[in-house]
Amino acid sequence: MTANSLRAEEFATGPADRPGEDAKGTGKGAGRPRRGRRILKWSAATLAMLVIGTAGAGFVYYEHLNGNIKKARLNLGDTPVPEATPNAAGQTPLNILMIGSDSRNTASDLKLGGSKGDVGRPPLGDVQMLLHLSADRSNMSVISLPRDTMIPIPKCTDPDTGKVYPALSLSMANESLGRGGPGCTVATWTELTGVHIDHFMMVDFSGVVSMADAIGGVPVCVKQNVWSHTAEGHGSGLKLEKGTHPVKGKQALQWLRTRYGFEDGTDIGRTHAQHMYINSMVRQLRANARLGNPEEMRKLAEAATDALTVDEGLGTVKKLYDLSMELQKVPTDGITMTTLPTVQWTQDRNRLVPAPGDAEQLISMVRDDDALTGLADKKPTPAATSTDPAALPADIAVRVRNGTGTAMEAPAPQRASAVTKLLQNQGFSGATADTTPAAEPDTEVLYPGPDQEGDAQAVADALHIPLKRARQSDDVQGVTLVVGADWRTGDTFPKPKPKKVPESAAVLNGEKADACMDIQQGFTW
């Protein structure tokens, strides 16, 4: 086992905004009053070191380090999401939810921010990033969710106490963590995106100082002098001169938690700064020879594993090392950082909601394993026509479900009945509308076994649904057409639009070494 790879799990964090604060710090939203300092920000160390996955430390610390790692249930919700479909080579994508907790339940975390009154309160997941490793391991996409975003949170059950947290129709994204643990945040992302999440990794905010020092600092850039400080005492305290500087220790922590001073002073600008830091750290780590020092790696491994909470399927040093070996296959220019597109919430100008169209476009590209870089700009291989002969349309029983609902939209009314009539007009007289609730982002034709593959493809072909949308599923008893959110209206299945990452996603490629943060007016010196 390598100490390098074991250190992979550190997050950079800092003090946090509380629910109920507005983007300008005036505290007008519903929730807890503003606290003077901000929170934990993202695990640059986690992503960066996992990507690197170096080798060298001894096995002697293996059991000890295993004991440091804390484990929790992967998913506390009750909505199943099917596993990803393998590609032609039998490979499947890997999705990992990275969570930054603002917990102040250790002395080291409390020292970095917050007050003694914070000890014992439910933590907030103020940093949430979905890391998607492509099936062919050629690229990796990361989607950040600004913590001010209002989204539905599903019902979650605390596995330790049995307490049931009822579903919330709309709440700040960071509140899911306090509703039973990281498994509720996983459940929230699962329902929001329709993406099967394989693992989560969560840390509190005591790791970034030693990590940044260990690699000699992480270069970051500002376009003007910046001081994240207000007359009321808010801000991270970051003070940098114009240009590029290697930030270390507490200054790195300040960079990662800075909101006041970057761009428009909102959480969106903060996610952009975190992306710059992560990409820069990855480049530093891949070029930094000093990390071969065994003693430094031992200290890093101790701190990293002690700060880490993962799901039960990722709870050993060996499994973390294996994951790092997968992630290191991605070249630097195959890493793409994005922020979920959002717009101002109409009910509260200090809150955000996913942007109609753009948010789903970005999510669908990740869900479909489309590269967000130019590395894999290749036409998808069409599905092969089944060798199983289809029955006559009149002899194929088809159930049609309305799965057009999304996390932000109610199902289109009577959609199953409307599509059932379309099938009946095509000769599928046995088609019936099924009232069983469903929510699927993509329209699919499901079938239970190989002997019904031909029938399912016949249904897809009759409605001009791509044959790759016909797939086997253990969740159905017969051929079942689930009309997804991509076909809410109309008699003709919509032609797929050209895949393009929306500009509002603020793409940052891992190779972009000249990125530089814009500074908010009034925060220069």
Side-chain angles (χ1 to χ4, degrees), residues 431-448:
T432 58
D434 185 351
T435 59
T436 304
E440 290 291 340
D442 302 315
T443 298
E444 293 184 312
V445 185
L446 309 178
Y447 57 94

Side-chain angles (χ1 to χ4, degrees), residues 100-113:
S101 165
D102 79 338
S103 171
R104 268 86 167 192
N105 291 332
T106 68
S108 57
D109 289 337
L110 189 60
K111 184 178 180 180
L112 290 171

Side-chain angles (χ1 to χ4, degrees), residues 29-324:
R32 299 184 182 90
R34 175 185 197 80
R35 299 183 189 272
R37 300 181 62 174
R38 301 292 143 256
I39 97 170
L40 164 156
K41 282 311 153 203
W42 161 240
S43 158
T46 299
L47 177 60
M49 287 302 288
L50 278 174
V51 169
I52 304 310
T54 53
F59 185 77
V60 64
Y61 294 105
Y62 180 74
E63 290 300 330
H64 169 68
L65 293 175
N66 275 344
N68 284 349
I69 301 170
K70 295 174 285 293
K71 295 176 281 293
R73 283 263 301 276
L74 174 62
N75 192 324
L76 302 184
D78 53 14
T79 302
V81 173
E83 300 280 351
T85 303
N87 62 14
Q91 302 164 305
T92 55
L94 191 61
N95 296 295
I96 305 164
L97 187 62
M98 318 298 289
I99 306 169
S101 165
D102 79 338
S103 171
R104 268 86 167 192
N105 291 332
T106 68
S108 57
D109 289 337
L110 189 60
K111 184 178 180 180
L112 290 171
S115 66
K116 291 183 179 179
D118 289 326
V119 176
R121 64 159 174 75
L124 297 172
D126 276 17
V127 177
Q128 298 178 32
M129 295 184 179
L130 179 64
L131 185 156
H132 172 83
L133 181 63
S134 67
D136 63 5
R137 306 307 190 244
S138 68
N139 62 90
M140 182 168 66
S141 306
V142 177
I143 301 179
S144 288
L145 178 65
R147 61 135 197 130
D148 289 329
T149 309
M150 303 297 291
I151 57 173
I153 298 179
K155 182 185 77 172
C156 293
T157 303
D158 188 315
D160 296 323
T161 66
K163 180 177 179 178
V164 176
Y165 294 87
L168 301 176
S169 59
L170 216 56
S171 186
M172 277 183 60
N174 64 354
E175 293 189 48
S176 62
L177 184 61
R179 297 168 62 82
C184 191
T185 304
V186 170
T188 300
W189 272 81
T190 297
E191 294 209 1
L192 177 69
T193 65
V195 171
H196 179 88
I197 296 175
D198 300 278
H199 300 292
F200 74 79
M201 301 179 71
M202 182 181 75
V203 297
D204 49 26
F205 56 68
S206 58
V208 68
V209 174
S210 58
M211 179 65 193
D213 287 346
I215 64 175
V218 176
V220 295
C221 176
V222 290
K223 293 183 179 180
Q224 295 175 275
N225 295 351
V226 62
W227 187 18
S228 178
H229 175 77
T230 71
E232 297 79 18
H234 303 313
S236 70
L238 178 72
K239 193 171 186 178
L240 285 177
E241 293 184 355
K242 174 183 177 180
T244 300
H245 308 275
V247 291
K248 301 171 63 176
K250 197 165 186 176
Q251 194 174 49
L253 186 67
Q254 291 173 333
W255 176 276
L256 290 163
R257 67 182 178 88
T258 293
R259 184 177 75 177
Y260 302 117
F262 286 157
E263 297 184 348
D264 61 356
T266 70
D267 198 49
I268 295 175
R270 180 157 51 188
T271 65
H272 298 166
Q274 292 164 4
H275 293 168
M276 181 192 298
Y277 183 96
I278 293 167
N279 281 347
S280 182
M281 177 173 271
V282 169
R283 293 191 298 270
Q284 280 289 99
L285 286 166
R286 288 186 166 175
N288 198 332
R290 70 180 284 182
L291 294 180
N293 183 297
E295 178 61 18
E296 289 184 358
M297 288 300 94
R298 185 192 66 79
K299 293 177 181 178
L300 290 174
E302 289 278 356
T305 53
D306 189 55
L308 183 66
T309 301
V310 300
D311 64 278
E312 293 153 333
L314 199 60
T316 67
V317 171
K318 172 64 166 59
K319 290 176 180 178
L320 290 169
Y321 177 77
D322 290 345
L323 175 61
S324 75

Side-chain angles (χ1 to χ4, degrees), residues 402-485:
N402 182 355
T404 57
T406 69
M408 303 304 295
E409 288 185 289
Q414 303 299 316
R415 190 61 185 147
S417 298
V419 176
T420 296
K421 290 180 180 178
L422 293 178
L423 277 173
Q424 291 172 346
N425 292 339
Q426 292 287 330
F428 292 85
S429 56
T432 58
D434 185 351
T435 59
T436 304
E440 290 291 340
D442 302 315
T443 298
E444 293 184 312
V445 185
L446 309 178
Y447 57 94
D451 58 340
Q452 291 182 291
E453 181 182 23
D455 294 347
Q457 289 195 355
V459 171
D461 187 58
L463 297 176
H464 303 292
I465 299 170
L467 293 187
K468 68 178 182 179
R469 300 285 190 95
R471 67 174 180 85
Q472 187 171 335
S473 170
D474 294 334
D475 298 327
V476 296
Q477 300 298 317
V479 177
T480 303
L481 168 60
V482 182
V483 184

